[in-house]
Amino acid sequence: MAELLFELSLTLVLGAILGAMALYAFNKANGTRRPASPRQMEFTFKNRELVGACHRARRSLSLEDLDQDIYSELIDRLSVVFPTLEQRLDDSLRHDATFTLSEATQNGPAVLHVEAHGSCLKLQLSGIEAPLSRKTLMDTEQATAMSAELAVLRATAEAAPYLSWRETSDGTVSWANNAYTKAAETADIPDAATSWPPPRLFHGGPITVNGDPAQLKRTTLAMTSGEQRTYEVARFGDDSGTINFASDVGTTVKAEESLRSFVQTLTQTFAALPIGLAIFDHTRSLVMFNPALMELTNLEASWLTARPTLYDFINQMREKRMLPERRNFADWRKKITELEESVAEGTYCETWALPSGQTYRITGRPHPEGAIAFLLEDITAEMSLTRKFRRELSMNQTLLDHLPEALAVFGDDGMISMTNAAYHELWETDPEDTLSQLNITDATRLWQANSNPSPMWGDARDFVGQRGERSEWSDTATLSNGKLVTCSFEPLAGGATLVSFSPTHQMNTPPAQSSTQAKQLASVSS
């Protein structure tokens, strides 16, 4: 029974299939056709980008087509109906033209009207129902939203200040924004005036896979004005096609060249600088030094160019015995930390007395972004000269203190610079008082307060402050205790003045040798 039902079902199915085939053959033989729609679809392209479409044309687009090259998809599918379309389009895009194609189809005549003006192309299609559609849009509002979004994206790409374009696998430019087309019009390359496709301005370069950091390549583009523009090009995609971006980095290149020239100038200046320079970055690695640093520290150039840290640098100087002696390692290590902190605050300045007998002045200065710089200066000769000068001053002071006359030396600015023991005893002053704050006015007030009134003290003030030629003179003053002293005022070299006070009973037999020696010592001291 089951076998009988199966055979009956199979017979019915076969009969239905044969009936459908017979009906199709009958309709075809009798010329039954689907009525053609009188409505048109209109598409407008600029630089092969869809910039306008009527309502019916928008409804013919599919979601998949919106993500594809609509121009290529439309032309490929229309070429099935109009075989000569691609050839006619190529001729029309080179020279503005208008033409109409007509082909017979099962649904009636299909007509395509084409208007080409430069980079603009308008297609008016009738007689074909939704030629692009594999999956037509079912939601009109969604299609409107997609169209609005495309308009925003297109306007954004066209207004972008950087060059943006798409390339096919063979390097043909299939789309470009306004910045690219303008650059192509002024570029000094062949076929720059071609309307479409635009010339390829940049060749080669690494391709970045989507999601990876962009790989940039700098390229120079020659312009018809003779200018050389530098661009940084980034490519995204794969071998089948790329989306590309190029930004003008001419300003950056000029800044880099200026910085490079500045660094070279600094390097040349530092090379002739007798002071050692060492600059450490924010990680405390050595980034710059000059030849004087090698001479002062006895460190090898190969070791310095390896960018040692500040800790290693100080440690190496310690091994070279270019640091002051430290009692223990822990104390020395603590000194490094304190040194780094003080340099970062801009307060580090220290004099190092090395075991070799040399004396270095070490100055630390903070730099931007956390860097610090050290200046090493050999002040051995300066320190030796200072010590020698101090010894001579001490010796002169000792000699002056042994003279019986009270002496005071004034500089050309009227400030008292030196006195002897006899002066402090005569005028009852403290030798520990700071002399650098006393001038001739203060001194004459002291002398006048401890003596009888006399116009001599006013003359003394005028004499010390006088410029030009001066002559030695003297006068006698009576002290408050009744003693008489002879006050002598002698000009010294450089505008200085020697004032001496001698008891009057010594004037009958003046100690010529003592007076001459006092004048010589005062000249040296001044």
Side-chain angles (χ1 to χ4, degrees), residues 263 269 277 282 351 360 472 487:
V263 172
T269 303
L277 174 67
H282 66 283
T351 300
Y360 283 179
E472 177 182 353
C487 306

Side-chain angles (χ1 to χ4, degrees), residues 74-138:
L74 181 60
I75 299 304
D76 289 344
R77 296 179 190 180
L78 290 179
S79 296
V80 177
V81 182
F82 306 99
T84 61
L85 176 60
E86 291 191 12
Q87 181 62 37
R88 295 291 300 272
L89 280 177
D90 291 340
D91 297 338
S92 300
L93 291 176
R94 295 190 181 92
H95 309 284
D96 296 349
T98 302
F99 62 90
T100 302
L101 299 178
S102 178
E103 295 288 341
T105 66
Q106 291 183 354
N107 298 325
V111 180
L112 177 63
H113 182 71
V114 180
E115 295 181 10
H117 299 284
S119 61
C120 295
L121 178 67
K122 180 182 290 185
L123 303 177
Q124 293 178 339
L125 180 65
S126 61
I128 297 179
E129 186 72 21
L132 260 181
S133 185
R134 286 197 184 101
K135 176 183 177 184
T136 57
L137 294 173
M138 301 303 293

